[in-house]
Amino acid sequence: MEAKDGFLIRLTPPGSVLKSGQLNIIAETAARYGRGIVQVTMRGNLQIRGLRAQSVATCQRILIDAALSDPAPSLERIRQSVLMSPLHAIDPECAPETAEIASRLMAALAQHPLPDSLPPKFCFGVDGGGFLPVGSMVADITASCAGHAWHVHCGQETRILEAPKVAAAMMRFAAEYAISQPGCRIVTPRTVSAAPLHRLIGRLPAGWRGYGVALGLLKSDDIHQIAENLDEIRLLPGRGFMTPKALSMPCLVTDPDDKMAQIFACCGVEGCTHAHMDTIRDARYFADALTAKTRLHVSGCRKGCAHPGKADVTLVAAENGYTVIKNGNTQGAETHQIMTREAIGTMLKSQSEADALRK
């Protein structure tokens, strides 16, 4: 995939698991052929950015040989389009059928690919509940566990089924929607914000610990250091990962109350042709003015890729500043006032001071 800062390769490792040797290969590939930066995405994928066109094929071969990518691009896309509860097989309270339903769904997709008329980034979600309660997952079509039954949601419609019938029902929903509403994003009344990162930071079931990655960015040296200290990690949605061992590094968010767990930003003008501002730089600037309880989304344009849900403060970049939206998302940005970065910093600081006085 081509971006403003070069080509990128998106990785969705099987089971979201990365061994230490694979982490080293990712770090070396990013340093040698790219910008030495790897993104951890909201969906729990990795992106190696800044690749030169002539290096893409070499990188793909390296990653395929390391079992980090699939030689068939269609199978890679299938893994990216099926999300499931990140704590499956670890959390005893997560429905035991979760992984089996996801596996059946991926097998069905291999036989019957999604229609081209479905919107970009269309995805399924298999929500087994547990430590992360049912409703924490965002997807176009979602199956959620409810006792001994599963509820399959698509738009306004819900079907209640037994686990063996869930994958087929999700496929039928997708086919029906592709015909009735081609190219349109599915709007589901029950949709909530993706599992907040802070809920996956700290102690997790079965002795595992969750870590956030500040702004979703890791340098190659950071990844090498993680590989030196850990045998494996499991990627988490919301720009993080989990491991059975303790780890402390400046690039990691280890405290669920850390303000960096509540700040979302896209790659900005450096990596995207749609963006108007350096969102990563500005997110760090705004962080100094924030309290830990304020969820901030700094978006380079109205697409809102980094955080499609609502935030306490959403900033949408324009050519001469940011549109400020409180308790909303990037939609409707054209109706709000544009402010400079400095004015927004002052506003956020005043808001934080007022919050502190009310406590």
Side-chain angles (χ1 to χ4, degrees), residues 115-136:
D116 292 336
S117 56
L118 288 170
K121 297 185 179 181
F122 178 94
C123 69
F124 299 92
V126 184
D127 187 352
F131 180 83
L132 287 178
V134 166
S136 298

Side-chain angles (χ1 to χ4, degrees), residues 8-70:
L8 68 84
I9 293 178
R10 182 177 295 123
L11 301 175
T12 308
S16 299
V17 174
L18 291 168
K19 304 290 187 180
S20 59
Q22 293 175 312
L23 287 167
N24 282 323
I25 289 171
I26 291 169
E28 291 162 7
T29 303
R32 182 174 180 181
Y33 299 103
R35 294 168 46 211
I37 296 290
V38 175
Q39 277 187 313
V40 185
T41 73
M42 289 297 293
R43 289 190 175 187
N45 299 319
L46 296 181
Q47 292 185 161
I48 303 175
R49 301 192 65 97
L51 301 172
R52 298 181 299 277
Q54 60 269 32
S55 301
V56 171
T58 299
C59 294
Q60 288 175 329
R61 285 196 299 271
I62 292 171
L63 297 169
I64 289 170
D65 290 344
L68 286 163
S69 186
D70 199 289

Side-chain angles (χ1 to χ4, degrees), residues 253-299:
V253 182
T254 59
D255 182 350
D257 290 328
D258 190 318
K259 67 177 69 176
M260 295 307 295
Q262 300 282 4
I263 300 178
F264 304 86
C266 62
C267 61
V269 70
E270 185 173 321
C272 179
T273 56
H274 298 285
H276 297 288
M277 291 286 179
D278 188 339
T279 52
I280 299 297
R281 176 204 65 191
D282 292 345
R284 292 183 175 128
Y285 173 83
F286 297 134
D288 293 336
L290 285 178
T291 63
K293 301 300 181 182
T294 303
R295 180 175 295 185
L296 174 68
H297 176 198
V298 186
S299 182

Side-chain angles (χ1 to χ4, degrees), residues 130-200:
F131 180 83
L132 287 178
V134 166
S136 298
M137 180 176 290
V138 172
D140 293 280
I141 297 175
T142 305
S144 58
C145 181
H148 297 292
W150 283 77
H151 293 192
V152 181
H153 309 274
C154 178
Q156 302 285 340
E157 190 172 352
T158 298
R159 297 176 187 171
I160 302 175
L161 302 163
E162 295 178 349
K165 300 179 180 179
V166 168
M170 297 177 84
M171 291 291 291
R172 284 195 297 272
F173 263 140
E176 292 166 4
Y177 198 86
I179 295 172
S180 62
Q181 302 287 338
C184 296
R185 178 63 64 196
I186 297 176
V187 179
T188 302
R190 63 182 294 276
T191 295
V192 296
S193 297
L197 177 58
H198 69 275
R199 297 197 65 166
L200 293 170

